[in-house]
């Protein structure tokens, strides 16, 4: 589970795939029980915050997963043991391994224990909305219409693409790129 693909062909990518699905189910179950009055949309946004790379990275750091990763020489030299994407993937792979070795109940208990260490105050439904949703709700409340997004440019290697997007509000003759 803690072997990165840079180390060799026998790595944790398949476990990561499985762990991602187990994590999503566990977090869905946890939120469903913890917040009985929230709508499906609010629960979905909260789940997205809890399973995103940033949150998984924070949890992986608490577990000191970076110290236990098996990385290829180049990945090790470039700081892969501290890279958010690698640590998040390793956490998912570890969960996949727990699920295979001990079953869903054990995986669920591990996830619940791990996530109970998080400060959930930042997960109010309003704060759980992504930036695009907040912007859309704001522009609609002002009767400015929906923002229009246009892909302007794509650059970089296939595994590390960067996108430039324009966001426009035609009703206000406003546009910005990022």
């Amino acid at each position: 589970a803690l072997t990165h693909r840079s180390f060799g062909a026998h790595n944790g990518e398949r476990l990561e795939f499985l762990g991602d699905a187990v994590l999503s189910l566990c977090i869905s179950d946890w939120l469903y029980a913890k917040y009985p009055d929230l709508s499906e949309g609010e629960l979905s946004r909260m789940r997205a915050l809890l399973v995103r790379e940033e949150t998984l990275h924070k949890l992986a750091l608490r577990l000191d997963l970076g110290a236990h990763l098996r990385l290829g020489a180049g990945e090790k030299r470039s700081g892969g043991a501290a890279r958010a994407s690698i640590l998040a993937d390793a956490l998912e792979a570890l969960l996949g391994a727990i699920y295979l070795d001990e079953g869903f109940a054990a995986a669920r208990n591990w996830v619940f224990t791990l996530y109970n260490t998080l400060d959930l105050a930042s997960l109010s439904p309003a704060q759980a909305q992504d930036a695009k949703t907040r912007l859309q709700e704001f522009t609609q409340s002002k009767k400015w219409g929906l923002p229009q997004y246009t892909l302007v440019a794509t650059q970089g290697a296939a595994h590390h693409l960067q996108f430039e997007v324009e966001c426009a509000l035609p009703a206000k003759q406003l546009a910005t790129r990022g």
Side-chain angles (χ1 to χ4, degrees), residues 138-145 171:
F138 176 76
T139 60
Q140 286 181 311
S141 74
K142 300 289 186 183
K143 309 254 189 276
W144 293 346

Side-chain angles (χ1 to χ4, degrees), residues 61-72:
L61 289 173
R62 286 186 186 169
L63 296 172
D64 195 24
L65 283 187
H68 305 283
L69 291 176
R70 292 171 47 176
L71 300 168

Side-chain angles (χ1 to χ4, degrees), residues 19-177:
D20 177 65
V22 172
L23 180 62
S24 185
L25 178 57
C26 290
I27 294 300
S28 297
D29 182 27
W30 189 57
L31 291 172
Y32 186 84
K34 191 169 185 68
Y35 299 101
D37 297 327
L38 293 185
S39 71
E40 179 269 340
E42 292 167 322
L43 291 169
S44 292
R45 286 188 292 274
M46 290 178 74
R47 180 183 57 208
L49 284 176
L50 289 170
V51 301
R52 69 184 177 172
E53 181 180 287
E54 180 182 331
T55 304
L56 296 177
H57 177 236
K58 183 186 301 184
L59 292 169
L61 289 173
R62 286 186 186 169
L63 296 172
D64 195 24
L65 283 187
H68 305 283
L69 291 176
R70 292 171 47 176
L71 300 168
E75 197 64 64
K76 198 179 288 187
R77 275 193 306 276
S78 69
R83 189 168 298 121
S85 61
I86 291 176
L87 288 170
D89 292 347
L91 185 74
E92 288 177 336
L94 181 58
L95 177 57
I98 291 169
Y99 168 74
L100 287 177
D101 286 349
E102 299 187 34
F104 181 73
R108 183 177 176 267
N109 289 337
W110 187 76
V111 168
F112 286 12
T113 300
L114 190 60
Y115 275 81
N116 275 328
T117 66
L118 289 178
D119 175 19
L120 298 180
S122 65
L123 291 180
S124 70
Q127 291 169 320
Q129 288 183 332
D130 60 87
K132 283 178 66 176
T133 301
R134 288 195 316 269
L135 178 62
Q136 179 176 317
E137 289 179 357
F138 176 76
T139 60
Q140 286 181 311
S141 74
K142 300 289 186 183
K143 309 254 189 276
W144 293 346
L146 294 174
Q148 296 176 356
Y149 299 95
T150 306
L151 179 61
V152 176
T154 304
Q155 60 186 356
H159 68 283
H160 192 58
L161 287 174
Q162 292 186 337
F163 303 92
E164 183 178 353
V165 176
E166 180 178 272
C167 174
L169 288 170
K172 297 301 286 178
Q173 296 181 343
L174 292 173
T176 189
R177 290 182 178 192

Side-chain angles (χ1 to χ4, degrees), residues 1-8 10-13 68-71 90:
L2 299 179
T3 302
H4 187 258
R5 70 177 167 264
S6 65
F7 191 82
H10 187 69
N11 58 60
E13 285 186 328
H68 305 283
L69 291 176
R70 292 171 47 176
L71 300 168

